Amino acid sequence: MTKETKIRQYSTADDTELRSFNIHLGDKTIKTPTKAVLTNNFYKETTFPSDLSDIQELFVRLDDKTLVKADNDNKYSSKKNNDLGKQKDKANGCPHFCLLEFKNKGEEWRYPTEYEIEVLTNLAYSHSSITPIPSIPKVARKLDPENFDFFLEYLDTCYNSIEVRNKKSILGYIPAVAPAYGRALINFYLDRGINAYYIDFDGTMVKSRADTINAMKVELAKRGYEENNFFHYVNASYGKAINDEKVLSARDLLGFGYGLDSLGGVHAGPRRDKAFYEKLKEMKDVTRNVNRLLNVEDYGYYRFDTIKDNIESFYPENALIEKEELFINVESRVQNYLKIVNLQQQCIEADKLTQIVDENPDKSLDYYKSKKNVKDTDLKDLSKNVIH
């Protein structure tokens, strides 16, 4: 059986579910809440601060064909390993894990075969301080009471594949599911010594799964793990970025207030057919709407084209990228620069929330209230002390 992830010095806010603890990953200890560093958008000259590099998230998506190439094609395999190695080198040697996603070709969904699972778990294990069970979003979207047991069988096969030769803890995979499935998954993992998990919100908002999060927390408490669990979360939406709205609330950051511990990246692929997105591009300026700058002072994601003329009022001090660099005429560079600046700000904000838990545990809700773009409905959902 895998070793449990070590968690120590647990503390929580009095008025929200915001919490903080020390978690042992690899040979290092990190303090939560934290924002995972993603370096795939970094340039050669990008140097990320070591004091913000707590944990790194790597991501690889494989389909039927690329999975076989990763296992049989020496050149392809070597390049994949070298690319991941370069990404790790840019994160200052912090603990890391590689999220593997299996997405078979075509419209039909299926589970990966036992052979495919071995390839996926091998790659995940080889590039992780804690090994994530690979995600299967096309399958997860179809879960229901009649097929859920097959999903548990998939997880068990992944677990057994890792356990053949395992010297690390395992990071359990939890898709965006209804509460009953969340409870079942917690018990499945605890029965196998797994107390660390990642939730794939699959492009939805954290609050849309508030009942599932609470159901899992209750189940953990029943099993004596209320303070001995870790939740990383990925693909969390802060709203439809393709909307024309000038500012969107930073609802991804509010996940910490729901008791989640580590914010990952957004890797969710398209859920509709190609024709839908081609039509969307005809109706909206997608690139313009997606290019947004995070302002942690008010928890707003601002459409960049609307603040360019007044950038000084929005641009963070000590940003890794000089604001003048955002006015070049290379669209891909601007997109990546914004992602780097936003990542830095998310990391800084996670550290600030850690400080709130340690120094003002009764003021976390007031802290969220001070952010003008946090909506009243979200504040009510975050509060421990409000009767809904």
Side-chain angles (χ1 to χ4, degrees), residues 2-3 125-131 166-170:
T2 187
K3 293 182 180 179
Y125 184 91
S126 301
H127 292 282
S128 301
S129 304
I130 177 173
T131 308
N166 184 23
K167 299 180 181 179
K168 305 171 185 177
S169 298
I170 291 176

Side-chain angles (χ1 to χ4, degrees), residues 122-247:
N122 178 58
L123 189 55
Y125 184 91
S126 301
H127 292 282
S128 301
S129 304
I130 177 173
T131 308
I133 290 180
S135 69
I136 45 174
K138 289 178 75 170
V139 173
R141 292 167 192 156
K142 304 293 184 179
L143 290 180
D144 60 36
E146 308 233 335
N147 63 29
F148 185 66
D149 284 345
F150 294 108
F151 184 71
L152 293 180
E153 288 179 15
Y154 161 75
L155 298 180
D156 196 47
T157 304
C158 290
Y159 169 79
N160 290 326
S161 176
I162 296 168
E163 284 292 279
V164 171
R165 181 182 175 275
N166 184 23
K167 299 180 181 179
K168 305 171 185 177
S169 298
I170 291 176
L171 191 66
Y173 161 51
I174 298 176
V177 291
Y181 304 134
R183 286 191 292 268
L185 289 170
I186 290 299
N187 283 302
F188 171 89
Y189 285 126
L190 289 180
D191 289 345
R192 290 158 179 77
I194 300 171
N195 64 327
Y197 323 102
Y198 73 99
I199 305 176
D200 181 0
F201 283 95
D202 199 22
T204 62
M205 293 187 191
V206 173
K207 68 178 295 179
S208 70
R209 296 297 175 186
D211 54 351
T212 300
I213 294 170
N214 186 63
M216 292 190 294
K217 298 271 188 180
V218 169
E219 207 63 29
L220 285 161
K222 287 180 182 178
R223 297 283 299 264
Y225 282 80
E226 184 171 14
E227 298 182 359
N228 188 20
N229 62 82
F230 169 75
F231 282 99
H232 181 72
Y233 62 112
V234 299
N235 295 324
S237 172
Y238 55 81
K240 294 182 178 178
I242 58 173
N243 286 352
D244 294 324
E245 292 180 48
K246 294 182 179 180
V247 59

Side-chain angles (χ1 to χ4, degrees), residues 76 92 100 115 124 150 153 165 191 236 239 288 303 337 371:
Y76 184 91
N92 302 299
L100 265 291
Y115 162 70
F150 294 108
E153 288 179 15
R165 181 182 175 275
D191 289 345
R288 181 200 68 176
R303 220 176 70 200
Y337 283 157
K371 310 297 184 179

Side-chain angles (χ1 to χ4, degrees), residues 11 17 56 70 78 87 121 142 170 173 190 192 211 226 234 244 257 292 295 303 309 317 370 379:
S11 58
E17 297 292 340
Q56 181 184 21
S78 178
Q87 288 188 46
T121 56
K142 304 293 184 179
I170 291 176
Y173 161 51
L190 289 180
R192 290 158 179 77
D211 54 351
E226 184 171 14
V234 299
D244 294 324
R292 292 180 180 270
N295 183 355
R303 220 176 70 200
D309 294 336
E317 295 182 10
S370 72
L379 291 171

Side-chain angles (χ1 to χ4, degrees), residues 10 12-13 15-19 214 217 256-260 364 382 384:
Y10 180 96
T12 185
D15 49 5
T16 69
E17 297 292 340
L18 181 66
R19 62 184 193 166
N214 186 63
K217 298 271 188 180
F256 296 125
Y258 285 93
L260 305 180
S364 68
L382 287 172
K384 277 182 180 179

